Amino acid sequence: MKNFEKAIKFLKFGIQGDPNFSSYYELKGLALDYLKQYRQAVECFDTAIELDPQYLSAYYHKGNALNMLKQHEEAIECYDLVIEMSPQYLDVYFNKGSTLNLLNLLNRYQQAIECFNKAIELKPQVFATHFNKGIALNELGKYRAASQCFDEAIDLNTRDSHVYIKKGNALKKLELFLQAIECFDKAIELNSQDFAPYFNKGNAMYEWEQYQQAIECFDYSIELNSRDFASYFNKGNALGKLKQYQRAIDCFDKALKLNPQDFASYFNKGKMLDKLEQSQQANECFEKAKELNPQDFASYFNKGNVLNKQEKYQQETHWTLWNTINKQVDVLMKPSN
């Protein structure tokens, strides 16, 4: 870090000596970007572009800095300018596709896939490109194609636990539970201290109606990350399936301590209290759930469902929360990231 701070001081002298040399501003922007001073970095890239409107890498790095500021649409505009000026600029397709994935909008995933396809065309042997293409396909519900992308990524890097988690979740969507569990087990083998594969394996066991095994997986998840309220929540659902209603309520209480505004925890706790014929307490939970989320409460209460959260997947740079409800189960599960 000190080297980058020294570089910035050096570049200030360079700019004073030649204020029209665009490369000084790009280099200063890169140093600021490394120091996580993204707004100042964008200003430097803007100055470089002002001095040289055809400065491809300045647009590219500006897009990256804007992404770190969560200004994703503006980042995409920068990447599009690079593509317009240089259609063979490899990295920009990957970064644009990854940014489109981050927007988490159905109508943008197809565009992301097109970007990843172009990146693969230019350089086929890149693990991250196949991996992120699989994520986009997964979001579009194309689980078999997503699984194939994850296989291609695994061929390029057999040691990344995240790709096995994503492949496992795609296989789970296809109800290929045994194969999904094998993927989660491989992820655990590669990184036994990560709670996410245990959580996802628990969800697969739950959907496979192997409730005791699901509980064991959620217990491992909780042991590794006692602050993950979704693990308590889904453990509560599995206990409910085994008619261990009081233990289920205890889990929902722990989930609520970690996330007091989660309407699904109140809803499911109410269902368990109702099973124990504790009607007054059950109604209090339903009223709280309704207060927190009246629209979803009405929908699920009328269906007689309990709420359930689905998948958890940890990436190095961000978490994604899948909000889709699986209508085949009678609980709302917490989704994976």
Side-chain angles (χ1 to χ4, degrees), residues 17-42:
D18 187 356
N20 294 315
F21 189 48
S22 58
S23 292
Y24 281 145
Y25 293 97
E26 183 194 27
L27 291 170
K28 182 181 176 184
L30 288 170
L32 288 163
D33 187 276
Y34 180 86
L35 294 172
K36 299 183 180 180
Q37 298 178 30
Y38 302 117
R39 293 195 186 281
Q40 296 94 315
V42 169

Side-chain angles (χ1 to χ4, degrees), residues 150-169:
F150 297 135
D151 279 337
E152 290 165 357
I154 289 168
D155 287 341
L156 295 167
N157 181 0
T158 61
R159 305 299 300 171
D160 188 281
S161 63
H162 301 140
V163 69
Y164 289 100
I165 297 174
K166 291 303 285 185
K167 181 184 176 184
N169 283 326

Side-chain angles (χ1 to χ4, degrees), residues 75-97:
I76 290 168
E77 290 175 7
C78 289
Y79 298 143
D80 282 339
L81 287 167
V82 176
I83 291 169
E84 183 180 335
M85 290 187 281
S86 179
Q88 301 303 306
Y89 199 114
L90 170 63
D91 291 344
V92 74
Y93 290 102
F94 174 80
N95 282 16
K96 180 184 176 184

Side-chain angles (χ1 to χ4, degrees), residues 144 147 151 164-165 167-172 174-186 204 208:
R144 199 168 298 279
S147 178
D151 279 337
Y164 289 100
I165 297 174
K167 181 184 176 184
N169 283 326
L171 291 167
K172 179 168 70 69
L174 295 169
E175 299 186 354
L176 299 172
F177 297 115
L178 186 58
Q179 294 177 45
I181 288 164
E182 289 174 356
C183 287
F184 299 134
D185 283 340
K186 182 63 176 179
W208 203 17

Side-chain angles (χ1 to χ4, degrees), residues 270-323:
K271 297 290 286 187
M272 298 302 104
L273 287 163
D274 188 61
K275 293 286 188 181
L276 293 174
E277 298 183 354
Q278 298 180 25
S279 301
Q280 182 177 345
Q281 296 96 316
N283 287 335
E284 289 172 0
C285 286
F286 291 139
E287 284 300 319
K288 184 63 177 179
K290 184 177 179 181
E291 175 189 328
L292 289 169
N293 193 334
Q295 184 174 356
D296 283 351
F297 172 83
S299 172
Y300 289 104
F301 189 83
N302 290 337
K303 291 175 183 174
N305 287 340
V306 183
L307 303 177
N308 205 355
K309 312 266 182 192
Q310 285 292 332
E311 304 161 358
K312 187 171 292 294
Y313 168 68
Q314 184 176 12
Q315 297 189 43
E316 293 180 1
T317 56
H318 68 282
W319 292 79
T320 305
L321 186 64
W322 315 106
N323 293 315

